[in-house]
């Protein structure tokens, strides 16, 4: 995993999402809502809520949207529950795709996911068909570290429990277990006053399928079709785009 740039995939995904702010806010609101329902509104004890709020800030989601969602979640409203469902399959060129859905209507979600696969030359598979290719991990991205000792960053991160630290072009990519993501983030922000650009729990592939930009467009089209569904929270894949 250390040899692949996690930041390049994250930037590519964020670039697509920035063009769909309304949909992104809807997805994040659902994530915040469910996190509060599951673990309460105290970010000190609810790690999932802390991560969802970080995601909201990274997307420049207005505070009033966040506050309104939390109030809805704590209001014990009847009739609003979400279920997490995982769909797995393959995009063109054998790229593995792992789709996380948060929905209040399983039939609608299944139909939308199936349509996205079918219309874009993909193959929706059985549960577990690609899950073994991914590991649930925490990822931290730090930017603009000029003037900060790289060795200090690595030592602090490893001491806090990081599994992998890569420094390249003034960008630090840190991989942790999902459980230690918040602890490593706190250590870096408190000990070194570093700004964390990205902190998220993700599904990292063990291996990547490299495709040139022309061929990768077919895969990206399918990923975007999946992301167009309001029920799809995340689409993980093992595509590596090779710039010509």
């Amino acid at each position: 995993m250390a040899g692949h740039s996690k930041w390049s995939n994250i930037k590519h995904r964020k670039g697509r999402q920035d063009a769909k702010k309304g949909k992104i806010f809807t997805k994040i609101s659902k994530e915040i809502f469910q996190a509060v329902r599951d673990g309460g509104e105290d970010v000190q004890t609810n790690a999932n809520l802390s991560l969802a709020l970080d995601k909201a800030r990274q997307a420049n989601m207005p505070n009033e949207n966040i506050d309104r969602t939390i109030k809805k979640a704590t209001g014990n409203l009847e009739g609003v529950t979400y279920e997490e469902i995982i769909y797995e399959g393959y995009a063109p060129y054998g790229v593995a795709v792992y789709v996380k859905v948060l929905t209040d209507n399983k039939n609608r979600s299944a139909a939308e996911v199936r349509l996205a696969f079918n219309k874009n030359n993909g193959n929706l598979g059985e549960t577990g068909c690609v899950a073994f290719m991914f590991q649930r991990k925490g990822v931290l991205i730090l930017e603009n570290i000029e003037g900060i000792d790289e060795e200090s960053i690595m030592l602090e991160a490893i001491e806090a429990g990081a599994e992998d630290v890569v420094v390249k072009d003034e960008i630090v990519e840190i991989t942790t277990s999902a459980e230690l993501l918040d602890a490593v983030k706190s250590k870096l922000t408190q000990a070194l006053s570093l700004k964390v650009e990205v902190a998220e729990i993700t599904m990292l592939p063990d291996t990547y399928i490299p495709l040139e930009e022309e061929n990768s467009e077919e895969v990206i089209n399918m990923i975007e079709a999946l992301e167009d569904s309001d029920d799809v929270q995340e689409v993980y894949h093992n595509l590596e785009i090779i710039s010509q």
Side-chain angles (χ1 to χ4, degrees):
M1 289 188 293
H4 181 84
S5 174
K6 303 172 188 69
W7 185 218
S8 63
N9 263 3
I10 291 171
K11 279 196 298 185
H12 197 269
R13 186 188 73 216
K14 288 185 178 296
R16 296 196 309 272
Q17 292 177 342
D18 285 345
K20 308 173 185 176
K21 283 291 188 186
K23 281 187 176 291
I24 295 306
F25 291 168
T26 298
K27 293 173 190 284
I28 294 174
S29 291
K30 287 170 68 173
E31 195 169 330
I32 293 171
F33 185 99
Q34 195 63 22
V36 173
R37 278 293 178 91
D38 290 343
E41 60 182 314
D42 186 351
V43 294
Q44 301 300 320
T45 58
N46 189 339
N48 287 334
L49 177 59
S50 178
L51 288 172
L53 293 177
D54 279 347
K55 193 178 294 185
R57 296 185 190 102
Q58 290 164 16
N60 294 317
M61 186 172 174
N63 287 332
E64 54 264 31
N65 291 36
I66 297 172
D67 294 340
R68 184 166 60 248
T69 300
I70 292 175
K71 286 177 181 177
K72 283 182 180 179
T74 55
N76 297 315
L77 300 177
E78 294 297 330
V80 182
T81 57
Y82 294 115
E83 180 178 358
E84 182 177 299
I85 305 171
I86 302 298
Y87 294 96
E88 303 172 44
Y90 290 91
Y93 302 100
V95 172
V97 180
Y98 185 98
V99 185
K100 177 183 172 183
V101 164
L102 197 59
T103 183
D104 59 352
N105 187 321
K106 292 191 292 185
N107 291 335
R108 179 189 64 224
S109 301
E112 291 179 354
V113 169
R114 187 176 295 109
L115 182 63
F117 272 89
N118 290 343
K119 287 187 68 175
N120 293 277
N121 300 317
N123 292 297
L124 183 61
E126 300 292 329
T127 300
C129 69
V130 303
F132 68 94
M133 302 181 189
F134 295 83
Q135 295 186 56
R136 187 170 179 265
K137 295 290 183 181
V139 171
L140 292 159
I141 305 291
L142 313 176
E143 282 195 289
N144 303 318
I145 61 168
E146 185 177 0
I148 301 175
D149 181 42
E150 294 178 2
E151 187 174 346
S152 297
I153 297 174
M154 296 179 73
L155 289 174
E156 291 286 356
I158 291 170
E159 184 178 324
E163 297 176 357
D164 187 27
V165 182
V166 177
V167 182
K168 185 178 181 182
D169 299 329
E170 296 186 3
I171 293 176
V172 183
E173 300 178 346
I174 300 171
T175 305
T176 76
S177 67
E179 294 73 22
L180 288 179
L181 174 64
D182 199 51
V184 175
K185 177 188 172 186
S186 297
K187 180 78 169 178
L188 293 172
T189 54
Q190 292 172 13
L192 299 176
S193 300
L194 291 170
K195 180 186 177 184
V196 177
E197 183 70 23
V198 173
E200 64 182 28
I201 292 175
T202 187
M203 297 294 289
L204 289 180
D206 293 324
T207 59
Y208 290 84
I209 295 198
L211 292 176
E212 294 183 354
E213 291 182 4
E214 182 179 352
N215 293 332
S216 67
E217 281 301 313
E218 295 182 51
V219 179
I220 295 301
N221 287 341
M222 197 187 91
I223 292 169
E224 290 183 340
L226 287 164
E227 290 176 341
D228 276 341
S229 169
D230 287 340
D231 293 339
V232 172
Q233 292 295 109
E234 298 287 352
V235 181
Y236 305 108
H237 58 83
N238 65 345
L239 168 66
E240 179 179 8
I241 301 173
I242 302 174
S243 299
Q244 294 176 328

